[in-house]
């Protein structure tokens, strides 16, 4: 348990560096960024949004199963464990959002620059909130059409970030489950992807740095527990002797 917690904690600290630096710098989101820079970030954030997040989950589950080489029964158990970690994280996110009720940066901006009543806005049903965002923005040249539509589809509260929790959970699962098998390229890819997802949430006006930091902390707790349960009840995270030769060949590449 301690070894798993130590590895995942190291990964969590790495994920926290970017939002912590942004928070300490005092940077605040403002509209009007370069669309050619923001659009790629939007597509990265879409890998977590529905329905693409489901495809991302299926692909990553398949890749993790291939990397771990578990037998069928253990593989089914691993998929269930990963799914539970993701679902518990998203459920916790939904509950906390309803309790904290923190406006998103773009909603706060609509309140100050467009005289929109933020409290009344969040008192509306989701469909009515989407319509109000559309009506308030109109043909605002500062906001690209695709970002306008994204805001209309994402009108909930800000704290914590569900997108960050999803991406951070996968990145930390990579460290917890795959690091001992030396799948360093996969772990590196997942960590970079998670950081870019987090950055996209800041740059698109969806979240504050503290939202991302809280989400990483929640993900770390869930992943540490999930990895420990995996090792205890499903299979060892250290590679079996038959796999050591393949790992040695991978190291020699």
């Amino acid at each position: 348990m301690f070894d798993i917690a130590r590895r995942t904690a190291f990964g969590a600290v790495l994920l926290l560096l970017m939002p912590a630096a942004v928070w300490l710098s005092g940077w605040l989101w403002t509209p009007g960024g370069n669309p050619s820079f923001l659009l790629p970030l939007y597509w990265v954030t879409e890998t977590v949004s529905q329905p693409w997040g489901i495809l991302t989950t299926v692909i990553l589950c398949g890749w993790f199963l291939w990397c771990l080489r578990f037998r069928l029964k253990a593989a089914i158990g691993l998929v269930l464990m990963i799914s539970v970690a993701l679902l518990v994280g998203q459920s916790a996110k939904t509950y906390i959002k309803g309790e904290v009720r923190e406006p998103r940066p773009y909603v706060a901006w609509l309140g100050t620059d467009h005289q929109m009543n933020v409290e009344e806005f969040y008192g509306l049903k989701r469909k009515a909130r989407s319509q109000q965002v559309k009506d308030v923005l109109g043909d605002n040249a500062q906001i690209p059409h695709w970002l306008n539509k994204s805001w209309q589809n994402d009108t909930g509260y800000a704290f914590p970030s569900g997108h960050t929790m999803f991406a951070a959970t996968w990145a930390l699962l990579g460290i917890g489950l795959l690091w001992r098998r030396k799948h360093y390229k996969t772990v590196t890819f997942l960590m970079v992807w998670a950081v870019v997802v987090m950055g996209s949430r800041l740059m698109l006006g969806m979240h504050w740095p503290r939202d991302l930091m809280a989400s990483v902390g929640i993900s770390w707790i869930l992943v540490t527990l999930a990895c420990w349960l995996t090792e205890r009840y499903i299979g060892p995270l250290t590679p079996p002797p038959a796999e050591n030769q393949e790992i040695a060949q991978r190291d020699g590449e």
Side-chain angles (χ1 to χ4, degrees):
M1 178 68 171
F2 176 75
D3 182 55
I4 293 172
R6 182 180 61 183
R7 292 202 310 274
T8 54
F10 176 72
V13 169
L14 291 179
L15 292 177
L16 286 170
L17 290 178
M18 185 274 289
V22 172
W23 177 60
L24 291 173
S25 73
W27 177 87
L28 293 175
W29 173 83
T30 55
N34 187 338
S36 62
F37 173 72
L38 295 179
L39 186 57
L41 292 179
Y42 167 75
W43 288 117
V44 172
T45 212
E46 283 294 284
T47 63
V48 179
S49 304
Q50 298 300 332
W52 302 110
I54 297 174
L55 179 60
T56 300
T57 299
V58 171
I59 292 173
L60 289 178
C61 275
W63 184 251
F64 271 58
L65 291 177
W66 184 87
C67 290
L68 290 169
R69 311 293 175 84
F70 284 163
R71 294 183 181 275
L72 180 60
K73 183 178 180 180
I76 293 173
L78 176 64
V79 170
L80 290 175
M81 193 71 68
I82 291 175
S83 299
V84 168
L86 293 170
L87 290 173
V88 170
Q90 294 304 307
S91 298
K93 173 265 298 183
T94 300
Y95 174 78
I96 297 171
K97 280 180 183 287
E99 293 296 312
V100 178
R101 300 187 177 186
E102 175 189 67
R104 294 186 183 276
Y106 84 84
V107 174
W109 170 70
L110 291 176
T112 56
D113 280 38
H114 292 73
Q115 292 74 51
M116 186 183 79
N117 189 310
V118 174
E119 186 174 349
E120 289 182 1
F121 173 80
Y122 278 113
L124 300 172
K125 298 293 186 181
R126 179 177 292 274
K127 189 174 182 179
R129 293 200 301 266
S130 298
Q131 185 62 46
Q132 185 163 345
V133 171
K134 181 179 180 180
D135 293 341
V136 170
L137 285 175
D139 297 325
N140 192 314
Q142 284 184 297
I143 310 302
H145 173 72
W146 50 265
L147 184 55
N148 188 324
K149 296 292 291 184
S150 180
W151 286 354
Q152 292 176 40
N153 293 330
D154 211 344
T155 59
Y157 292 109
F159 183 93
S161 167
H163 283 69
T164 295
M165 203 173 296
F166 180 94
T169 296
W170 276 113
L172 295 178
L173 281 170
I175 290 178
L177 297 175
L178 304 182
W179 188 264
R180 295 286 292 274
R181 279 177 157 82
K182 298 186 177 181
H183 286 285
Y184 300 139
K185 292 179 181 178
T186 296
V187 173
T188 300
F189 171 81
L190 290 172
M191 290 291 289
V192 171
W193 169 66
V195 171
V196 177
V197 168
M198 293 162 65
S200 74
R201 304 309 286 169
L202 294 176
M203 297 300 297
L204 298 177
M206 296 295 192
H207 287 287
W208 314 92
R210 58 182 174 268
D211 305 339
L212 312 186
M213 296 169 70
S215 298
V216 171
I218 296 170
S219 296
W220 174 71
I221 294 171
L222 293 174
V223 168
T224 300
L225 181 60
C227 291
W228 176 72
L229 291 173
T230 298
E231 188 165 57
R232 184 174 178 87
Y233 295 108
I234 297 177
L237 301 182
T238 52
E243 198 175 326
N244 284 328
Q245 184 177 358
E246 178 186 338
I247 292 175
Q249 291 176 346
R250 195 188 313 142
D251 287 345
E253 293 179 355

